[in-house]
Amino acid sequence: MTQSTAFSIAPGGWLGLLGGGQLGRMFCHAAQSLGYKVAVLDPAEECPAGMVADLHIRAAYDDEAGLARLAQQCRAVTTEFENVPADSLRALAARCRVSPAADAVAVVQDRIAEKTFIAAQGIPVAPHAAIRGEADLRAAPANLFPGILKVARMGYDGKGQARIATREEALAAYAEFGGVPCVLEALMPLDYEISVVLARGFDGASVVFPVARNVHRDGILAVSTASAAGQDAAHAERQARATAAAQSIAQGLGYHGVLCVEFFVLKDGSLIVNEIAPRPHNSGHYTMDACLTSQFEQQARAMAGLPLGGVDLLAPAVMLNILGDIWYESADTDAQREPDWAGALSTPTAKLHLYGKREARRGRKMGHVTIVALTLAQAQADAARVAAALGMQAPE
Ligand code: ATP
Ligand code: MG
């Protein structure tokens, strides 16, 4: 028997997941289609992954009995979000295989530790300062203004962030955040944003998905595009550098599972890392419809100790996030209606994914739609039609 066979969990076995959001839901679907059963631990009575899991353990992420139940049921456990207490992952690791490991998650769930780690790998990050008190803000170098103050822990989708023009504004934002540890980083002149999703197995072998190009609106991902077409040499070279950087980050973290690295491409062509997500990522949702193996299937394969799947892009793809905003009749009313799904799906290249969330709220991620076509131009034209049918801003 080879080592990888000895280490693997056969389909039919149980895989465990901390967190019950949409990423967990899509993980459940992928793992189940490989034949696994999935147990989800999430405190919510009802949640996107809990609805489709084979077992939903309703418990807090630090609940000893809940964690013990999960470890008893499952031989391998992963997480769908970075804010799970690292100590819970440590406790689970005493009883079952955990990926990613607590130590890797501990680094990326704290922006101060994360930036320090990335810079120590020799990979550039935005100029920044750790803010642990008002005195740090008063002493922060002038090149960090204008900047963005970000809470060190628990931020997502642009929450816990404030754009500040001056030191005074930074002090006010810091007080508003309750004086919790923060990172102040300089506002960078972005040309565009890209991300790299990779999967790394327990044997150290890794596969890297094609680079996605991302557009954010109001701090939330809006559009991801993956295509081999229309790339000049400079862009291709940047993609190669981003891919290499993501691989060295995964290696440096001793990482197992799926990881995403978000990058900024600056106006001068240089590349810096924004942040790391220790899990499948919104910018990798296009892989579900446009790649041979989705990022969620890779997560299941990695934790089960199976070989990773092919990551080839089968066709150009444009992913549009569906936020709760499109349920509202207009920007200045609370009245809601059902979006025109039939209108969106009258474009045959559109693949719709909804997360089963009962309540639509502005800024809440409700689903996404991926348009996969033979050419990038066709995918973009079709994406514009789908966006119009759903009352969404045209994709840039
Ligand atoms: P997510 O959960 O979507 O990853 P987040 O809350 O972790 O978001 P960031 O990734 O730090 O937030 O920032 C969100 C977006 O804000 C970035 O993708 C980028 O568009 C913009 N942004 C963040 N930091 C900077 C910066 N230093 N300079 C310019 N733009 C920035
Ligand atoms: Mg981000």
Side-chain angles (χ1 to χ4, degrees), residues 82 111 126 148 150 155-159 161 163 185-190 193 216 219-221 262 264 272 274-275 279 281 365:
E82 54 269 44
R111 286 189 196 277
I148 306 187
K150 303 180 177 182
Y156 71 99
D157 286 349
K159 294 183 177 64
Q161 300 197 1
R163 293 197 175 213
E185 56 183 76
L187 190 65
M188 304 305 287
L190 308 192
E193 298 184 52
H216 290 76
I220 306 177
L221 181 67
E262 294 180 74
F264 295 149
I272 62 176
N274 173 30
E275 60 175 353
R279 51 170 171 78
H281 191 260
K365 289 177 178 170

Side-chain angles (χ1 to χ4, degrees), residues 71-392:
Q72 179 202 7
Q73 190 75 43
C74 304
R75 286 180 55 206
V77 173
T78 189
T79 178
E80 63 127 33
F81 78 137
E82 54 269 44
N83 295 325
V84 58
D87 281 343
S88 296
L89 296 174
R90 281 192 193 100
L92 285 167
R95 307 171 187 204
C96 60
R97 189 196 303 169
V98 175
S99 60
D103 289 352
V105 175
V107 170
V108 300
Q109 70 187 186
D110 180 318
R111 286 189 196 277
I112 299 173
E114 180 181 45
K115 283 202 160 44
T116 306
F117 165 78
I118 297 165
Q121 297 284 301
I123 298 167
V125 294
H128 66 281
I131 307 298
R132 297 191 178 85
E134 273 188 26
D136 291 333
L137 266 181
R138 293 216 167 80
N143 71 335
L144 301 185
F145 302 93
I148 306 187
L149 188 70
K150 303 180 177 182
V151 294
R153 303 176 79 93
M154 303 298 264
Y156 71 99
D157 286 349
K159 294 183 177 64
Q161 300 197 1
R163 293 197 175 213
I164 49 95
T166 61
R167 206 176 291 274
E168 289 62 42
E169 281 181 27
L171 283 162
Y174 181 66
E176 187 116 326
F177 291 153
V180 296
C182 288
V183 167
L184 173 64
E185 56 183 76
L187 190 65
M188 304 305 287
L190 308 192
D191 187 356
Y192 58 94
E193 298 184 52
I194 58 177
S195 56
V196 175
V197 175
L198 64 75
R200 190 162 181 272
F202 281 95
D203 57 2
S206 66
V207 291
V208 187
F209 283 104
V211 174
R213 185 161 168 161
N214 307 317
V215 176
H216 290 76
R217 293 184 197 127
D218 301 326
I220 306 177
L221 181 67
V223 185
S224 286
T225 303
S227 168
Q231 293 184 4
D232 55 27
H235 185 60
E237 192 268 332
R238 242 165 256 149
Q239 292 200 338
R241 261 193 292 147
T243 299
Q247 272 172 316
S248 92
I249 284 171
Q251 209 167 359
L253 285 171
Y255 197 87
H256 300 128
V258 173
L259 171 110
C260 175
V261 183
E262 294 180 74
F263 295 85
F264 295 149
V265 179
L266 305 185
K267 294 246 187 315
D268 67 3
S270 61
L271 190 71
I272 62 176
V273 169
N274 173 30
E275 60 175 353
I276 304 168
R279 51 170 171 78
H281 191 260
N282 196 165
S283 64
H285 289 357
Y286 80 88
T287 63
M288 296 170 76
D289 297 302
C291 292
L292 210 49
T293 314
S294 78
Q295 59 173 347
F296 300 103
E297 181 176 339
Q298 302 286 28
Q299 186 179 25
R301 288 184 186 223
M303 68 192 289
L306 293 177
L308 300 169
V311 287
D312 293 330
L313 184 70
L314 303 176
V318 176
M319 190 254 4
L320 307 176
N321 258 348
I322 297 174
L323 301 184
D325 303 61
I326 68 166
W327 269 256
Y328 291 81
E329 280 172 11
S330 69
D332 46 15
T333 173
D334 287 338
Q336 294 194 345
R337 46 138 170 84
E338 193 65 23
D340 182 8
W341 305 123
L345 292 178
S346 70
T347 297
T349 51
K351 300 285 286 178
L352 179 65
H353 301 267
L354 291 171
Y355 308 147
K357 297 181 184 178
R358 240 181 247 293
E359 198 195 337
R361 293 193 296 267
R362 295 185 202 278
R364 188 178 200 200
K365 289 177 178 170
M366 302 296 289
H368 69 271
V369 58
T370 304
I371 294 89
V372 185
L374 287 179
T375 64
L376 176 60
Q378 185 66 52
Q380 286 171 327
D382 285 359
R385 291 222 327 258
V386 172
L390 292 177
M392 285 163 34

